[in-house]
Amino acid sequence: MEKMIRIENLNKIYKNGSVEVHALKDVNMEVAYGEFLAVMGHSGSGKSTLMNILGCLDRPTSGKYFLDGIDIDIKSPDELSLIRNKKIGFVFQAFNLIPRTNVLRNVELPMIYAKVKAKQRRERALELLEKVGLSDRVNHMPNELSGGQKQRVAIARALANNPPIILADEPTGNLDTNASEEIMKIFRDLNREGTSIIVVTHEPEVAKYADRIIVFKDGCIIEDSRKEGGKNYLA
Amino acid sequence: MEKIIWLENIKIAFQSILSNKMRSLLTMLGIIIGISSVISIVSIGDSMKGVMDNIYKDFGKNRAILYVGNIEDFRTTDFFYNDDLELLKERFSEKIVYICPSESLRSDVTAGRNTIKLNMDFIDSGYEEVQQVKMLYGRMINDKDIERKSKVIVLEQKAALKLFGKDNVVGKTIRVKIDDNMEDLLIVGVYKIEISPFLALMQGQSNYENSFIPYTMPTSSNYAYYALDIFINEKYSIAVTGDEIINYIARLKNRTPENYLFYTVEEEQTQVESIVTGLSVAVAAIAAISLLVGGIGIMNIMLVSVTERTREIGIKKALGARTKDVLFQFLIESATLSAIGGIVGTITGIGFVMVGGSFISIPVVVNPASIILAVAFAMVIGIFFGYYPARKAANSDPIEALRYE
């Protein structure tokens, strides 16, 4: 069966003047549909580079990347935009909500690019905001929200076009313990509903929500472990 | 479904313009000044034409003057005589509605202790039908006056007031000097001419008061005129009729048509209007240069705006915005900015001209086409100068953009 994500001999080399940085070295990896994966490692280990490539924001220097069966390498920038729009939900450490734009419109944004009509857009956005428990904040501006609330808006936005996978880059990095727990519980619930989730983190408390942990060091996978009991180990 | 993106982009554009009100206003200032100067200059030109048109209407648009041109071996018969007038009237009975020597006399007139300088225009009967003459008292010069060479005069109200201190002076007699003879003329009417204030301004202050006398009264059959005042029937072409009259009079005088000249109000108006149009186009073109400066202002601010929103652009790209979605967002923003500037500039320009026009009390003409043109041009400026910043935004790398602080 085709995997959600398949990576073959992936290399990423950054050139900074005469200095070459080998950020990813011959990485091979597969992620199945419905998996909850945590990618761990110190800063500079290559995990963020991997995230950018998985998110179709960056291209590998060499190697193959298939997302949902699509060969990402042969796509134009606009085709990649479309893939990001339909297939991937992004959740960032810095929340990355659009400033001076209310919560509702932030959640609607991916649907605008997906050309969903205004009425359906609004209905879907309200539905998602209810799901993350922010029904009473739809008309607030991002700067009127707490960190946890911002991240919940970001999750609602990531879910807008019902993507098969969510990529979360240090989603709890700017949050306190309570808010972090809240966010991770939402991810866990989403995963139980069938969405694949990849979380990049360096915190073991966050990683423990995942049922598979990959650890990066110096651009290589040094550990790939599955939790006993799979998805239900926290229940 | 591209419509969705367009609508959203317009919303985003307004949102961004409104969230930076002061900056947006300053950005628009260049466009506002440029458009308002273009609009007011074009409108001043149009208003001038309107004023001119009124002046020519007052003067008589179907009016022409036939006069003796440059003749080397000059003969007295080249001039016009009363017999020629009769021949012309007969020959062109259909096409000429009024014809009279373009002639006047001047004399001092005294009544009691008041003395005025009086200008006496020669007129034929029916003058009131081709010119705006408002009779206040009595009557105008009529057929019988012409036929009998009656010693009568019709005074302008101002002349009557200055002479007698009142304007109802019908029946009184005044003594004037005509061809070295003193003549007593009976006042049969008092009139008033309503001309536009602008024409009055152009005519300036004159020491002379005005009046009309029958052209036949001071003249004998050998009185020679240099010029004839002619009104052409509006059903006929003035230029064509003019040629016919010149050909006829040249044959009559045994001359070539080149020896006579036919000045028409119509021709002059066309010339003057083309000069006014040329001038206003030239000045408007200079004013349009300020639009370029305004456009550069927009480009400048859009570049700042793109840099400021680098992160926003990165987020949008990550969420699925294509190159052209970002491009359109910024193009629409700069086009909206300049279109609003264009509209405000149009209103300011019209306001300017309206206020100015009301000061010198002339009717202001604003051509709707120039408004549409101005706003459209402003938008084109916005799109042209907004393209480079928008392109820069659209082509930015999402990772770089997301990393931007």
mmCIF file of all heavy atoms in Angstrom, chain B residues 327-369:
data_model
loop_
_atom_site.group_PDB
_atom_site.id
_atom_site.type_symbol
_atom_site.label_atom_id
_atom_site.label_comp_id
_atom_site.label_asym_id
_atom_site.label_seq_id
_atom_site.Cartn_x
_atom_site.Cartn_y
_atom_site.Cartn_z
ATOM 1 N N LEU B 327 0.615 38.293 -6.292
ATOM 2 C CA LEU B 327 0.794 39.390 -7.252
ATOM 3 C C LEU B 327 -0.460 40.251 -7.309
ATOM 4 O O LEU B 327 -0.407 41.477 -7.191
ATOM 5 C CB LEU B 327 1.111 38.815 -8.632
ATOM 6 C CG LEU B 327 1.448 39.818 -9.723
ATOM 7 C CD1 LEU B 327 2.857 40.349 -9.521
ATOM 8 C CD2 LEU B 327 1.339 39.194 -11.103
ATOM 9 N N PHE B 328 -1.613 39.589 -7.479
ATOM 10 C CA PHE B 328 -2.874 40.325 -7.586
ATOM 11 C C PHE B 328 -3.186 41.088 -6.309
ATOM 12 O O PHE B 328 -3.674 42.204 -6.354
ATOM 13 C CB PHE B 328 -4.027 39.384 -7.917
ATOM 14 C CG PHE B 328 -4.102 39.046 -9.380
ATOM 15 C CD1 PHE B 328 -4.586 37.814 -9.800
ATOM 16 C CD2 PHE B 328 -3.687 39.960 -10.333
ATOM 17 C CE1 PHE B 328 -4.641 37.501 -11.151
ATOM 18 C CE2 PHE B 328 -3.739 39.658 -11.684
ATOM 19 C CZ PHE B 328 -4.226 38.418 -12.091
ATOM 20 N N GLN B 329 -2.890 40.447 -5.165
ATOM 21 C CA GLN B 329 -3.195 41.133 -3.906
ATOM 22 C C GLN B 329 -2.510 42.489 -3.856
ATOM 23 O O GLN B 329 -3.144 43.499 -3.554
ATOM 24 C CB GLN B 329 -2.750 40.280 -2.715
ATOM 25 C CG GLN B 329 -3.117 40.958 -1.394
ATOM 26 C CD GLN B 329 -2.377 40.361 -0.221
ATOM 27 O OE1 GLN B 329 -2.139 39.179 -0.141
ATOM 28 N NE2 GLN B 329 -2.029 41.230 0.720
ATOM 29 N N PHE B 330 -1.234 42.513 -4.228
ATOM 30 C CA PHE B 330 -0.501 43.780 -4.120
ATOM 31 C C PHE B 330 -0.831 44.723 -5.268
ATOM 32 O O PHE B 330 -0.880 45.940 -5.084
ATOM 33 C CB PHE B 330 1.001 43.517 -4.006
ATOM 34 C CG PHE B 330 1.377 43.045 -2.632
ATOM 35 C CD1 PHE B 330 1.477 41.694 -2.339
ATOM 36 C CD2 PHE B 330 1.573 43.961 -1.615
ATOM 37 C CE1 PHE B 330 1.778 41.257 -1.066
ATOM 38 C CE2 PHE B 330 1.886 43.534 -0.339
ATOM 39 C CZ PHE B 330 1.985 42.176 -0.060
ATOM 40 N N LEU B 331 -1.076 44.154 -6.458
ATOM 41 C CA LEU B 331 -1.478 45.016 -7.584
ATOM 42 C C LEU B 331 -2.805 45.693 -7.284
ATOM 43 O O LEU B 331 -2.980 46.885 -7.524
ATOM 44 C CB LEU B 331 -1.614 44.192 -8.861
ATOM 45 C CG LEU B 331 -0.351 44.007 -9.681
ATOM 46 C CD1 LEU B 331 -0.685 43.323 -10.990
ATOM 47 C CD2 LEU B 331 0.305 45.353 -9.959
ATOM 48 N N ILE B 332 -3.743 44.902 -6.757
ATOM 49 C CA ILE B 332 -5.056 45.465 -6.446
ATOM 50 C C ILE B 332 -4.915 46.519 -5.365
ATOM 51 O O ILE B 332 -5.555 47.569 -5.423
ATOM 52 C CB ILE B 332 -6.053 44.349 -6.051
ATOM 53 C CG1 ILE B 332 -6.454 43.568 -7.291
ATOM 54 C CG2 ILE B 332 -7.294 44.934 -5.374
ATOM 55 C CD1 ILE B 332 -7.256 42.329 -7.026
ATOM 56 N N GLU B 333 -4.025 46.269 -4.422
ATOM 57 C CA GLU B 333 -3.826 47.251 -3.369
ATOM 58 C C GLU B 333 -3.308 48.571 -3.934
ATOM 59 O O GLU B 333 -3.832 49.639 -3.614
ATOM 60 C CB GLU B 333 -2.872 46.717 -2.304
ATOM 61 C CG GLU B 333 -2.795 47.645 -1.116
ATOM 62 C CD GLU B 333 -2.038 47.039 0.050
ATOM 63 O OE1 GLU B 333 -2.126 45.818 0.251
ATOM 64 O OE2 GLU B 333 -1.368 47.802 0.763
ATOM 65 N N SER B 334 -2.306 48.488 -4.821
ATOM 66 C CA SER B 334 -1.769 49.747 -5.354
ATOM 67 C C SER B 334 -2.758 50.396 -6.312
ATOM 68 O O SER B 334 -2.881 51.623 -6.349
ATOM 69 C CB SER B 334 -0.410 49.523 -6.022
ATOM 70 O OG SER B 334 -0.537 48.654 -7.112
ATOM 71 N N ALA B 335 -3.504 49.575 -7.067
ATOM 72 C CA ALA B 335 -4.510 50.146 -7.968
ATOM 73 C C ALA B 335 -5.621 50.820 -7.164
ATOM 74 O O ALA B 335 -6.084 51.908 -7.523
ATOM 75 C CB ALA B 335 -5.091 49.066 -8.870
ATOM 76 N N THR B 336 -6.023 50.157 -6.051
ATOM 77 C CA THR B 336 -7.070 50.743 -5.214
ATOM 78 C C THR B 336 -6.592 52.058 -4.613
ATOM 79 O O THR B 336 -7.301 53.065 -4.629
ATOM 80 C CB THR B 336 -7.452 49.769 -4.081
ATOM 81 O OG1 THR B 336 -7.738 48.497 -4.651
ATOM 82 C CG2 THR B 336 -8.673 50.256 -3.320
ATOM 83 N N LEU B 337 -5.360 52.026 -4.124
ATOM 84 C CA LEU B 337 -4.761 53.220 -3.531
ATOM 85 C C LEU B 337 -4.804 54.378 -4.526
ATOM 86 O O LEU B 337 -5.252 55.487 -4.212
ATOM 87 C CB LEU B 337 -3.310 52.890 -3.167
ATOM 88 C CG LEU B 337 -2.637 53.623 -2.026
ATOM 89 C CD1 LEU B 337 -3.446 53.490 -0.765
ATOM 90 C CD2 LEU B 337 -1.250 53.041 -1.800
ATOM 91 N N SER B 338 -4.368 54.113 -5.750
ATOM 92 C CA SER B 338 -4.305 55.204 -6.724
ATOM 93 C C SER B 338 -5.692 55.552 -7.257
ATOM 94 O O SER B 338 -5.956 56.711 -7.573
ATOM 95 C CB SER B 338 -3.346 54.857 -7.859
ATOM 96 O OG SER B 338 -3.767 53.693 -8.496
ATOM 97 N N ALA B 339 -6.583 54.573 -7.317
ATOM 98 C CA ALA B 339 -7.941 54.892 -7.777
ATOM 99 C C ALA B 339 -8.641 55.790 -6.760
ATOM 100 O O ALA B 339 -9.311 56.764 -7.136
ATOM 101 C CB ALA B 339 -8.744 53.616 -8.004
ATOM 102 N N ILE B 340 -8.462 55.479 -5.463
ATOM 103 C CA ILE B 340 -9.048 56.341 -4.433
ATOM 104 C C ILE B 340 -8.438 57.734 -4.551
ATOM 105 O O ILE B 340 -9.136 58.748 -4.535
ATOM 106 C CB ILE B 340 -8.826 55.755 -3.017
ATOM 107 C CG1 ILE B 340 -9.592 54.450 -2.872
ATOM 108 C CG2 ILE B 340 -9.292 56.749 -1.946
ATOM 109 C CD1 ILE B 340 -9.319 53.713 -1.570
ATOM 110 N N GLY B 341 -7.094 57.762 -4.730
ATOM 111 C CA GLY B 341 -6.419 59.041 -4.957
ATOM 112 C C GLY B 341 -7.024 59.766 -6.154
ATOM 113 O O GLY B 341 -7.244 60.970 -6.108
ATOM 114 N N GLY B 342 -7.293 59.005 -7.196
ATOM 115 C CA GLY B 342 -7.884 59.587 -8.405
ATOM 116 C C GLY B 342 -9.254 60.175 -8.139
ATOM 117 O O GLY B 342 -9.573 61.280 -8.594
ATOM 118 N N ILE B 343 -10.071 59.442 -7.370
ATOM 119 C CA ILE B 343 -11.429 59.920 -7.078
ATOM 120 C C ILE B 343 -11.363 61.168 -6.201
ATOM 121 O O ILE B 343 -12.013 62.179 -6.491
ATOM 122 C CB ILE B 343 -12.265 58.792 -6.421
ATOM 123 C CG1 ILE B 343 -12.533 57.693 -7.448
ATOM 124 C CG2 ILE B 343 -13.573 59.348 -5.874
ATOM 125 C CD1 ILE B 343 -13.003 56.380 -6.862
ATOM 126 N N VAL B 344 -10.536 61.090 -5.155
ATOM 127 C CA VAL B 344 -10.400 62.260 -4.273
ATOM 128 C C VAL B 344 -9.864 63.451 -5.079
ATOM 129 O O VAL B 344 -10.355 64.578 -4.951
ATOM 130 C CB VAL B 344 -9.468 61.947 -3.074
ATOM 131 C CG1 VAL B 344 -9.216 63.194 -2.241
ATOM 132 C CG2 VAL B 344 -10.067 60.860 -2.199
ATOM 133 N N GLY B 345 -8.862 63.175 -5.935
ATOM 134 C CA GLY B 345 -8.288 64.228 -6.766
ATOM 135 C C GLY B 345 -9.327 64.847 -7.695
ATOM 136 O O GLY B 345 -9.355 66.060 -7.884
ATOM 137 N N THR B 346 -10.189 64.003 -8.255
ATOM 138 C CA THR B 346 -11.242 64.497 -9.142
ATOM 139 C C THR B 346 -12.170 65.434 -8.378
ATOM 140 O O THR B 346 -12.477 66.542 -8.842
ATOM 141 C CB THR B 346 -12.052 63.313 -9.705
ATOM 142 O OG1 THR B 346 -11.156 62.423 -10.357
ATOM 143 C CG2 THR B 346 -13.095 63.794 -10.682
ATOM 144 N N ILE B 347 -12.583 64.972 -7.179
ATOM 145 C CA ILE B 347 -13.491 65.791 -6.382
ATOM 146 C C ILE B 347 -12.818 67.114 -6.016
ATOM 147 O O ILE B 347 -13.414 68.188 -6.149
ATOM 148 C CB ILE B 347 -13.946 65.024 -5.114
ATOM 149 C CG1 ILE B 347 -14.778 63.804 -5.535
ATOM 150 C CG2 ILE B 347 -14.744 65.925 -4.181
ATOM 151 C CD1 ILE B 347 -14.995 62.788 -4.448
ATOM 152 N N THR B 348 -11.543 67.035 -5.588
ATOM 153 C CA THR B 348 -10.811 68.254 -5.235
ATOM 154 C C THR B 348 -10.720 69.193 -6.439
ATOM 155 O O THR B 348 -10.961 70.394 -6.314
ATOM 156 C CB THR B 348 -9.373 67.905 -4.780
ATOM 157 O OG1 THR B 348 -9.429 66.762 -3.938
ATOM 158 C CG2 THR B 348 -8.741 69.052 -4.041
ATOM 159 N N GLY B 349 -10.362 68.616 -7.600
ATOM 160 C CA GLY B 349 -10.214 69.424 -8.807
ATOM 161 C C GLY B 349 -11.509 70.132 -9.178
ATOM 162 O O GLY B 349 -11.524 71.330 -9.454
ATOM 163 N N ILE B 350 -12.607 69.369 -9.154
ATOM 164 C CA ILE B 350 -13.908 69.954 -9.498
ATOM 165 C C ILE B 350 -14.258 71.037 -8.482
ATOM 166 O O ILE B 350 -14.721 72.124 -8.845
ATOM 167 C CB ILE B 350 -15.001 68.867 -9.562
ATOM 168 C CG1 ILE B 350 -14.730 67.932 -10.739
ATOM 169 C CG2 ILE B 350 -16.379 69.501 -9.707
ATOM 170 C CD1 ILE B 350 -15.620 66.710 -10.781
ATOM 171 N N GLY B 351 -13.991 70.721 -7.197
ATOM 172 C CA GLY B 351 -14.262 71.696 -6.133
ATOM 173 C C GLY B 351 -13.519 73.004 -6.374
ATOM 174 O O GLY B 351 -14.108 74.087 -6.318
ATOM 175 N N PHE B 352 -12.257 72.872 -6.702
ATOM 176 C CA PHE B 352 -11.394 74.016 -7.043
ATOM 177 C C PHE B 352 -12.042 74.896 -8.094
ATOM 178 O O PHE B 352 -12.193 76.101 -7.921
ATOM 179 C CB PHE B 352 -10.108 73.453 -7.655
ATOM 180 C CG PHE B 352 -8.883 73.671 -6.838
ATOM 181 C CD1 PHE B 352 -8.951 74.215 -5.573
ATOM 182 C CD2 PHE B 352 -7.637 73.327 -7.345
ATOM 183 C CE1 PHE B 352 -7.816 74.398 -4.835
ATOM 184 C CE2 PHE B 352 -6.497 73.497 -6.623
ATOM 185 C CZ PHE B 352 -6.588 74.037 -5.363
ATOM 186 N N VAL B 353 -12.386 74.238 -9.211
ATOM 187 C CA VAL B 353 -12.913 74.966 -10.363
ATOM 188 C C VAL B 353 -14.273 75.589 -10.029
ATOM 189 O O VAL B 353 -14.555 76.725 -10.412
ATOM 190 C CB VAL B 353 -13.031 74.017 -11.572
ATOM 191 C CG1 VAL B 353 -13.570 74.756 -12.775
ATOM 192 C CG2 VAL B 353 -11.670 73.440 -11.897
ATOM 193 N N MET B 354 -15.082 74.840 -9.246
ATOM 194 C CA MET B 354 -16.406 75.345 -8.859
ATOM 195 C C MET B 354 -16.246 76.631 -8.039
ATOM 196 O O MET B 354 -16.915 77.628 -8.299
ATOM 197 C CB MET B 354 -17.152 74.310 -8.005
ATOM 198 C CG MET B 354 -17.593 73.093 -8.773
ATOM 199 S SD MET B 354 -19.076 73.421 -9.738
ATOM 200 C CE MET B 354 -19.449 71.795 -10.340
ATOM 201 N N VAL B 355 -15.351 76.567 -7.045
ATOM 202 C CA VAL B 355 -15.140 77.732 -6.181
ATOM 203 C C VAL B 355 -14.610 78.901 -7.019
ATOM 204 O O VAL B 355 -15.136 80.017 -6.971
ATOM 205 C CB VAL B 355 -14.162 77.390 -5.033
ATOM 206 C CG1 VAL B 355 -13.756 78.637 -4.274
ATOM 207 C CG2 VAL B 355 -14.801 76.384 -4.080
ATOM 208 N N GLY B 356 -13.580 78.600 -7.836
ATOM 209 C CA GLY B 356 -13.013 79.640 -8.698
ATOM 210 C C GLY B 356 -14.061 80.225 -9.635
ATOM 211 O O GLY B 356 -14.157 81.438 -9.795
ATOM 212 N N GLY B 357 -14.851 79.323 -10.218
ATOM 213 C CA GLY B 357 -15.878 79.755 -11.172
ATOM 214 C C GLY B 357 -16.925 80.643 -10.513
ATOM 215 O O GLY B 357 -17.375 81.637 -11.097
ATOM 216 N N SER B 358 -17.281 80.304 -9.267
ATOM 217 C CA SER B 358 -18.315 81.095 -8.594
ATOM 218 C C SER B 358 -17.762 82.478 -8.225
ATOM 219 O O SER B 358 -18.504 83.448 -8.143
ATOM 220 C CB SER B 358 -18.840 80.365 -7.357
ATOM 221 O OG SER B 358 -17.878 80.409 -6.340
ATOM 222 N N PHE B 359 -16.429 82.575 -8.026
ATOM 223 C CA PHE B 359 -15.821 83.868 -7.716
ATOM 224 C C PHE B 359 -15.924 84.825 -8.898
ATOM 225 O O PHE B 359 -16.274 85.988 -8.734
ATOM 226 C CB PHE B 359 -14.344 83.685 -7.321
ATOM 227 C CG PHE B 359 -14.144 83.640 -5.843
ATOM 228 C CD1 PHE B 359 -13.697 82.487 -5.220
ATOM 229 C CD2 PHE B 359 -14.423 84.762 -5.062
ATOM 230 C CE1 PHE B 359 -13.538 82.428 -3.852
ATOM 231 C CE2 PHE B 359 -14.252 84.714 -3.701
ATOM 232 C CZ PHE B 359 -13.817 83.543 -3.088
ATOM 233 N N ILE B 360 -15.607 84.343 -10.098
ATOM 234 C CA ILE B 360 -15.692 85.236 -11.249
ATOM 235 C C ILE B 360 -17.002 85.008 -12.016
ATOM 236 O O ILE B 360 -17.141 85.423 -13.146
ATOM 237 C CB ILE B 360 -14.462 85.080 -12.182
ATOM 238 C CG1 ILE B 360 -14.261 83.608 -12.568
ATOM 239 C CG2 ILE B 360 -13.205 85.633 -11.535
ATOM 240 C CD1 ILE B 360 -13.202 83.427 -13.645
ATOM 241 N N SER B 361 -17.929 84.349 -11.340
ATOM 242 C CA SER B 361 -19.294 84.079 -11.846
ATOM 243 C C SER B 361 -19.338 83.664 -13.311
ATOM 244 O O SER B 361 -19.961 84.306 -14.126
ATOM 245 C CB SER B 361 -20.214 85.284 -11.589
ATOM 246 O OG SER B 361 -19.771 86.406 -12.294
ATOM 247 N N ILE B 362 -18.624 82.586 -13.614
ATOM 248 C CA ILE B 362 -18.814 81.969 -14.919
ATOM 249 C C ILE B 362 -19.274 80.528 -14.704
ATOM 250 O O ILE B 362 -18.918 79.903 -13.711
ATOM 251 C CB ILE B 362 -17.522 81.986 -15.783
ATOM 252 C CG1 ILE B 362 -16.373 81.226 -15.108
ATOM 253 C CG2 ILE B 362 -17.100 83.413 -16.098
ATOM 254 C CD1 ILE B 362 -15.221 80.957 -16.046
ATOM 255 N N PRO B 363 -20.110 80.032 -15.613
ATOM 256 C CA PRO B 363 -20.575 78.644 -15.461
ATOM 257 C C PRO B 363 -19.430 77.669 -15.689
ATOM 258 O O PRO B 363 -18.673 77.798 -16.647
ATOM 259 C CB PRO B 363 -21.646 78.506 -16.550
ATOM 260 C CG PRO B 363 -21.334 79.573 -17.537
ATOM 261 C CD PRO B 363 -20.640 80.678 -16.818
ATOM 262 N N VAL B 364 -19.292 76.703 -14.771
ATOM 263 C CA VAL B 364 -18.195 75.738 -14.845
ATOM 264 C C VAL B 364 -18.637 74.506 -15.623
ATOM 265 O O VAL B 364 -19.710 73.971 -15.386
ATOM 266 C CB VAL B 364 -17.736 75.350 -13.422
ATOM 267 C CG1 VAL B 364 -16.775 74.183 -13.478
ATOM 268 C CG2 VAL B 364 -17.094 76.537 -12.750
ATOM 269 N N VAL B 365 -17.830 74.105 -16.564
ATOM 270 C CA VAL B 365 -18.128 72.912 -17.351
ATOM 271 C C VAL B 365 -17.186 71.799 -16.918
ATOM 272 O O VAL B 365 -15.978 71.976 -16.943
ATOM 273 C CB VAL B 365 -17.927 73.189 -18.857
ATOM 274 C CG1 VAL B 365 -18.273 71.964 -19.676
ATOM 275 C CG2 VAL B 365 -18.746 74.388 -19.284
ATOM 276 N N VAL B 366 -17.771 70.656 -16.443
ATOM 277 C CA VAL B 366 -16.935 69.498 -16.117
ATOM 278 C C VAL B 366 -17.346 68.356 -17.026
ATOM 279 O O VAL B 366 -18.486 67.906 -17.017
ATOM 280 C CB VAL B 366 -17.084 69.085 -14.642
ATOM 281 C CG1 VAL B 366 -16.182 67.895 -14.361
ATOM 282 C CG2 VAL B 366 -16.721 70.240 -13.736
ATOM 283 N N ASN B 367 -16.404 67.914 -17.827
ATOM 284 C CA ASN B 367 -16.678 66.866 -18.788
ATOM 285 C C ASN B 367 -16.610 65.497 -18.093
ATOM 286 O O ASN B 367 -15.570 65.149 -17.554
ATOM 287 C CB ASN B 367 -15.621 66.970 -19.891
ATOM 288 C CG ASN B 367 -15.958 66.117 -21.075
ATOM 289 O OD1 ASN B 367 -16.830 65.253 -20.988
ATOM 290 N ND2 ASN B 367 -15.286 66.366 -22.175
ATOM 291 N N PRO B 368 -17.725 64.732 -18.092
ATOM 292 C CA PRO B 368 -17.709 63.417 -17.430
ATOM 293 C C PRO B 368 -16.618 62.515 -18.004
ATOM 294 O O PRO B 368 -16.008 61.727 -17.274
ATOM 295 C CB PRO B 368 -19.089 62.836 -17.727
ATOM 296 C CG PRO B 368 -19.920 63.967 -18.182
ATOM 297 C CD PRO B 368 -19.014 65.031 -18.722
ATOM 298 N N ALA B 369 -16.363 62.645 -19.286
ATOM 299 C CA ALA B 369 -15.335 61.797 -19.911
ATOM 300 C C ALA B 369 -13.973 62.052 -19.266
ATOM 301 O O ALA B 369 -13.209 61.110 -19.046
ATOM 302 C CB ALA B 369 -15.262 62.078 -21.405
#
